[in-house]
Every structure is written in structure tokens, then in C-alpha cells.
Amino acid sequence: MSSLGNPANIFWQECSVGKSDRQKLLNQKGCVVWITGLSGSGKSTLACTLDRELHSRGKLSYILDGDNLRHGLNKDLSFKAEDRVENIRRVGEVAKLFADAGLICIASLISPYGKDRDSCRALLPNKNFIEVYMNMPLEVCEARDPKGLYKLARAGKIKGFTGIDDPYEPPLNCEIEIKQENGICPPPSAMAGQVVSYLNVQGFLHE
Ligand SMILES: Nc1ncnc2c1ncn2[C@@H]1O[C@H](COP(=O)(O)OS(=O)(=O)O)[C@@H](OP(=O)(O)O)[C@H]1O
Ligand SMILES: Nc1ncnc2c1ncn2[C@@H]1O[C@H](COP(=O)(O)OP(=O)(O)O)[C@@H](O)[C@H]1O
């Protein structure tokens, strides 16, 4: 017998305080800013700078960082393909809850497969999933290598490392692309500024 509950016996529980009430309270609109890219592409840097910028504007945001979640919620998951799929599925569901709470949820994960990112997008109302592609060349990420992981992957000491011997599928339909201009990466403040401008124009920074 399945250990899952019978869906016919599980009911949706409605409460009187809804998303729009929470958004009024916060004077913002809940959404998910999903940052995807190679290790070392600047995902966490953008997430933290954006979080700080939104905070300084009186907006409530919260970061879901792949590395950090793998210390808790996702500590049972490896980097093999099916575990990466499950990792993204769980974080997509959590991000949806944060957006429903009225927050600007900043998810920062490699999220290498387009199909999984699209599944997370499909969990949210239209336009409330903002995909940000850190389009940094592998050579740049590898030269940065702040954790020394590329070095280990090149030495064969880490198997299945994204960009080296594991795939990364670039987004085809992202809302925002962060890339080098004339071979120079924009500074963190400019990367965050690009996202803040988008959120502002799309009306997420007020109720
Ligand atoms: N094999 C392999 N491939 C890629 N990355 C690896 C691997 N092993 C460990 N790490 C470290 O794990 C961080 C990525 O975790 P994510 O949860 O974002 O990955 S994924 O979305 O499930 O692909 C990633 O963090 P970032 O550098 O911040 O991207 C790495 O530090
Ligand atoms: N815009 C940037 N310009 C220069 N260096 C950057 C920039 N963004 C990130 N870095 C540096 O690149 C390295 C990797 O950034 P990080 O945010 O940890 O990437 P990721 O989370 O994608 O692994 C860090 O040493 C960080 O200081």
C-alpha cells in the first residue's frame, strides 16, 4: 500500500486573511525572483545586494540560497540529476509560499535544467516569476572559483560538477539577463539595480 495520503481525503483549507491583505500591509506585491547560473556566476552576490537594496527601500524580501538550503531542508539531496530536480521542485514550492505571504522571494540556485525552472514558473500567477540569468562565461566563473570547487572538479575530485562534466541549460525566456559589457561584469550594485528597476516598472514595489 502507498505511504502517500489518498488525495480524495485531503482538502484545501481557506482562511479569511488572503494574499491581497498581506500585500496591503506590506505595500508591495509578492513574487519570486529566480536567479540561475553557473557556480561562481554571482548568484549569491546579486541575491544579497538585491536583498539589502530592497530592505533599504522598506520592502520585505527573503533569500532562498541553494547552498544554504542544502544544509537543512535539502540536506538529503545529492547533485545527481534526479536530486537536482527534487531540489528545485522543493525550493519552487517554498518560494511560492513566500510569494503568497507577500514577500519578494529571491531564490538563488544553479537550477541547471530549463524544464525544472519552467515548472517553478508554472506554480505562480502570470508575471510573478522573474527569471534572472547570470550569463557569465565559464572561464570567468572558473577563474573566480572562490570555493576551489572548479579546481577539484578539473582534478576529477568532484564528479558531475555543473559546467565541467554536468550540463547547464541557459534560459530561453528569462525576464532579466546579467552579462558582461565589453568584457567587464557590472558591479553588484548595477546588477541589483537592473532587478530593482524591473520590479519597480512591473509594479511589485507597491501594493
Ligand atoms: N557537483 C556540483 N555541481 C554544482 N555545484 C556543486 C556541486 N557540488 C557542490 N556544489 C556546490 O553546491 C552549490 C549549488 O547548489 P544548488 O542547490 O544551487 O544546485 S542545483 O540547483 O541543485 O544544481 C554550489 O554553490 P554556488 O557556487 O553558490 O552555485 C556549489 O558550491
Ligand atoms: N559583479 C561582480 N563583479 C565582480 N566579482 C563578482 C561579481 N559578482 C560576484 N563576484 C565574485 O564572484 C565570486 C562568485 O560569486 P557568488 O555570488 O558566490 O557566485 P555564485 O553564488 O553564483 O556561486 C565571488 O568571489 C564574488 O565576490
Side-chain angles (χ1 to χ4, degrees), residues 38-45 144 146-147 185-188 191:
L38 293 171
S39 177
S41 60
K43 300 183 298 296
S44 304
T45 303
R144 288 175 172 170
K147 303 171 198 156
C185 179
M191 303 197 300

Side-chain angles (χ1 to χ4, degrees), residues 29-190:
K29 292 196 189 85
C31 62
V32 174
V33 175
W34 190 280
I35 307 172
T36 173
L38 293 171
S39 177
S41 60
K43 300 183 298 296
S44 304
T45 303
L46 170 58
C48 293
T49 313
L50 175 61
D51 195 41
R52 170 57 60 194
E53 177 60 30
L54 290 170
H55 185 265
S56 74
R57 290 169 180 245
K59 301 299 157 193
L60 189 58
S61 51
Y62 192 78
I63 298 175
L64 300 175
D65 184 277
D67 253 334
N68 294 353
L69 294 173
R70 282 176 176 277
H71 284 94
L73 177 69
N74 294 331
K75 69 176 169 194
D76 56 325
L77 301 178
S78 74
F79 288 90
K80 64 183 181 202
E82 63 258 43
D83 280 3
R84 291 191 200 242
V85 171
E86 175 60 10
N87 185 33
I88 301 313
R89 189 195 69 79
R90 287 184 197 172
V91 179
E93 290 288 354
V94 174
K96 176 185 172 178
L97 295 176
F98 273 97
D100 187 54
L103 275 72
I104 297 165
C105 179
I106 306 166
S108 163
L109 299 100
I110 294 179
S111 39
Y113 309 129
K115 194 167 162 236
D116 302 330
R117 295 191 301 265
D118 287 347
S119 301
C120 295
R121 179 186 288 276
L123 292 173
L124 283 132
N126 193 23
K127 299 206 169 156
N128 284 20
F129 184 89
I130 299 137
E131 192 171 351
V132 182
Y133 173 33
M134 304 300 297
N135 186 1
M136 290 301 137
L138 174 65
E139 310 81 70
V140 171
C141 302
E142 194 168 352
R144 288 175 172 170
D145 204 11
K147 303 171 198 156
L149 296 178
Y150 281 102
K151 205 164 173 225
L152 290 174
R154 288 287 186 197
K157 291 182 181 151
I158 300 179
K159 302 276 184 222
F161 195 78
T162 307
I164 304 297
D165 55 351
D166 223 52
Y168 178 79
E169 299 168 5
L172 303 172
N173 54 356
C174 64
E175 279 70 17
I176 301 172
E177 183 179 3
I178 310 273
K179 59 178 183 192
Q180 293 183 319
E181 300 290 344
N182 303 319
I184 297 168
C185 179
S189 58

